Amino acid sequence: MSMPSLKLRAVLNHRLDMSPFTPEFVADKSADEIARTPIWLGNRQVDTGELFEIRDNASESLLIQSESDKLDMIGAAMKHGSILVEGNAGAYLGRSMTGGEIRINGNAGLAAGCAMRAGSLVIEGDAGDFLGGALTGERQGMRGGRISVQGNCGDRVGDLMRRGTILIGGNAGDFCASRMVAGTIIVLGQCGRHTASGMRRGSLITAGKPTSLPATFNRNGIHSLSFLTLLRQQIASQTGFSGLSEIANEVERWVGDLSCDGRGEILILQS
Amino acid sequence: MIINGTQIEETFAEAFGMSATRIIITAIDAKWARIAGETMTGFATSVIGCGVEAGIETELHPTQTPDGRHGVSVLLFAMSGKALAKQLETRVGQCVLTCPTTAVFSGMQGEKQIPLGKNLRYFGDGYQISKQIGEKRYWRVPVMDGEFLCEESVARTSAVGGGNFLVLANHQQQALTACEKAIAEMGKLPNVIMPFPGGIVRSGSKVGSKYKSLMASTNDAYCPTLRGLVNSNLDNDIGGVMEIVINGLTEADVRQATRIGITAVCEVGAAGGIKRISAGNYGGKLGQFHFHLREVMA
């Protein structure tokens, strides 16, 4: 099945809501129909054709080409199929997605993969704050699927995360894994301050010792954990994460956050 | 039909539909993986008294196991999915969870699932940790040597149990030697186990007994010491009879194992004292799988 490509024509002055354009929405539509689809630009609606050049794309992926960081909610609530973003994305990339794959070769803005339930989100550049976090007012963040970021991330990665896996090839900002409920976050670089603050359950696996840990974490000792073999096999095939296959199962384990449930863990890989 | 001087009797083995599963046990080395496998498949020769029939299918090299350690694959067969689930949970809980350094994984895919770590996790007393890796869920249960890693569930499948053949020899030792050769060859096959001690049964049974409380009793027609006393199936020169019982995941697996086993026995042949190959059945009315020996060996 051939999917269209949407190439942004001009520089945007306002934020653009891209949520209508999921693979299932465009699958059975002609270029004209897509061009007539109204989308929100700031506080007004415009036809998609005013902003995008729409072409047939000899690919099974919906292609979005943009250097703007104002294209919000790309792939929001998508169920299946594939979206390829050439360039950058705005906020809420893959918000509440329940399947399929989004791949972006640039940077993503705030709250990428927030409230995600399943599927795969691959960001080849950097990601903003609240990666895999929760929708405002909700008590749980990402609830399944996998997010892979090859670059660095902002603050509050996996805030309120409930399930799923987040891989970060670079560094994570402050409050990484804050208020985490469950799931797995892997940071191959360094985590910032207040790492895992308010963490209830789940695992934060990091190659470098975080800049600071809350006083409510206790050192648990050096352990060799066999589940890491399975985890490593699962993610070592990901681009940018092949180095994981050479890391041993030995980790320094910290448990907490004892100010709340206290059954979370920070595993610092021993090279 | 005569092969190498051994007569293949015109009869058939009667086998039954069962429910089966395969798990993979890994450990720090091959020795401890085998200990765990042997322990959990102990007292698992017959569903009549043990609730399940189980055995080690094969030993696994680290490249063949999920966690890259030495392992064994174990097959378990029961008369129902419910019985299988109960036995699996009990045996893994008592024999594998307790065994140093072990981990347990599902060894087969399928839609019908039975719990593996799903209930065993409660041993962790609230400190157990769930970990979803790919499409599978695992449980990390804290134990005194570290963590017991256990996959949440395992598939079960319909299978075939009770395939068999009898080896009739001049002497007990000759029957045993031939059966040992057969087991050595059959043990190389995937998807089958021979659940009895060393794979060999010396106490074949018939249905029923003069004692009302017994479901099964000695197969008097094949007992050399009852010749002349009962309606014996043994010629005067038969001094020892042994049986090999085969459980397999499919009818084809049991058929192939039967063929390989009988072939190995017949290589010993009449020169080694093997006079006849027979099989156990119940007139064909109880089991839905019939393995006619001459067809199998044709």
Side-chain angles (χ1 to χ4, degrees), chain A residues 163-165 183-184 202-203 223 225-231 233-234 253 263 265 267, chain B residues 65-69 103 105 126-129 131-135 137-138 140 147 149:
Chain A
R163 199 179 291 118
T165 306
T184 305
S203 306
H223 299 281
L225 302 175
S226 54
F227 89 95
L228 290 172
T229 306
L230 306 179
L231 194 62
Q233 288 168 356
Q234 178 70 25
R253 187 169 187 253
R263 287 186 289 164
E265 61 182 0
L267 306 177
Chain B
T65 61
D67 64 357
R69 303 192 300 168
F105 305 95
Y127 297 105
Q128 68 273 21
I129 297 173
K131 199 50 67 182
Q132 179 95 22
I133 300 176
E135 299 301 313
R137 177 179 296 282
Y138 301 88
R140 298 163 52 196
E147 280 186 343
L149 182 65

Side-chain angles (χ1 to χ4, degrees), chain A:
Chain A
M1 185 172 59
S2 177
M3 300 290 275
S5 68
L6 281 70
K7 185 175 183 181
L8 189 65
R9 294 176 194 271
V11 175
L12 297 175
N13 293 322
H14 300 284
R15 304 205 73 82
L16 184 63
D17 179 0
M18 293 289 289
S19 60
F21 299 109
T22 58
E24 51 265 35
F25 177 77
V26 300
D28 57 353
K29 292 196 168 43
S30 67
D32 283 346
E33 286 175 301
I34 295 171
R36 289 196 300 273
T37 303
I39 51 174
W40 285 96
L41 175 66
N43 62 357
R44 67 190 176 97
Q45 279 193 308
V46 298
D47 283 349
T48 303
E50 289 182 29
L51 299 176
F52 288 94
E53 185 181 321
I54 300 160
R55 289 184 179 169
D56 274 339
N57 175 30
S59 163
E60 293 189 349
S61 296
L62 167 60
L63 177 63
I64 297 173
Q65 296 167 297
S66 154
E67 291 307 316
S68 173
D69 60 359
K70 291 187 169 61
L71 271 59
D72 295 340
M73 294 208 276
I74 294 173
M78 71 181 272
K79 295 184 178 70
H80 51 75
S82 169
I83 296 177
L84 176 62
V85 180
E86 287 184 354
N88 299 321
Y92 298 108
L93 173 69
R95 187 181 92 157
S96 303
M97 66 186 285
T98 57
E101 182 190 46
I102 300 175
R103 177 176 286 271
I104 167 174
N105 64 13
N107 302 323
L110 295 170
C114 74
M116 179 175 174
R117 289 176 180 271
S120 171
L121 175 56
V122 179
I123 300 168
E124 294 180 5
D126 298 334
D129 298 343
F130 288 98
L131 178 77
L135 293 175
T136 304
E138 287 200 349
R139 299 177 68 179
Q140 291 185 349
M142 177 180 177
R143 270 162 268 188
R146 181 163 63 194
I147 300 175
S148 168
V149 180
Q150 291 175 20
N152 301 317
C153 293
D155 297 339
R156 300 255 179 205
V157 171
D159 184 53
L160 287 168
M161 177 179 176
R162 173 66 182 80
R163 199 179 291 118
T165 306
I166 298 177
L167 312 173
I168 299 169
N171 300 321
D174 297 340
F175 289 96
C176 180
S178 59
R179 304 188 293 173
M180 187 174 178
V181 182
T184 305
I185 299 175
I186 301 169
V187 181
L188 295 189
Q190 189 79 25
C191 295
R193 295 172 301 152
H194 309 298
T195 294
S197 175
M199 182 186 209
R200 291 179 56 198
R201 288 180 279 125
S203 306
L204 169 62
I205 302 166
T206 175
K209 192 168 184 178
T211 309
S212 71
L213 286 174
T216 43
F217 268 78
N218 281 344
R219 189 175 185 276
N220 184 248
I222 303 289
H223 299 281
S224 182
L225 302 175
S226 54
F227 89 95
L228 290 172
T229 306
L230 306 179
L231 194 62
R232 215 170 41 224
Q233 288 168 356
Q234 178 70 25
I235 62 180
S237 58
Q238 298 270 303
T239 307
F241 297 92
S242 57
L244 266 179
S245 60
E246 294 163 14
I247 293 174
N249 281 354
E250 202 159 85
V251 290
E252 181 183 352
R253 187 169 187 253
W254 291 72
V255 292
D257 183 332
L258 299 170
S259 66
C260 40
D261 202 7
R263 287 186 289 164
E265 61 182 0
I266 299 173
L267 306 177
I268 302 168
L269 298 168
Q270 307 292 291
S271 55

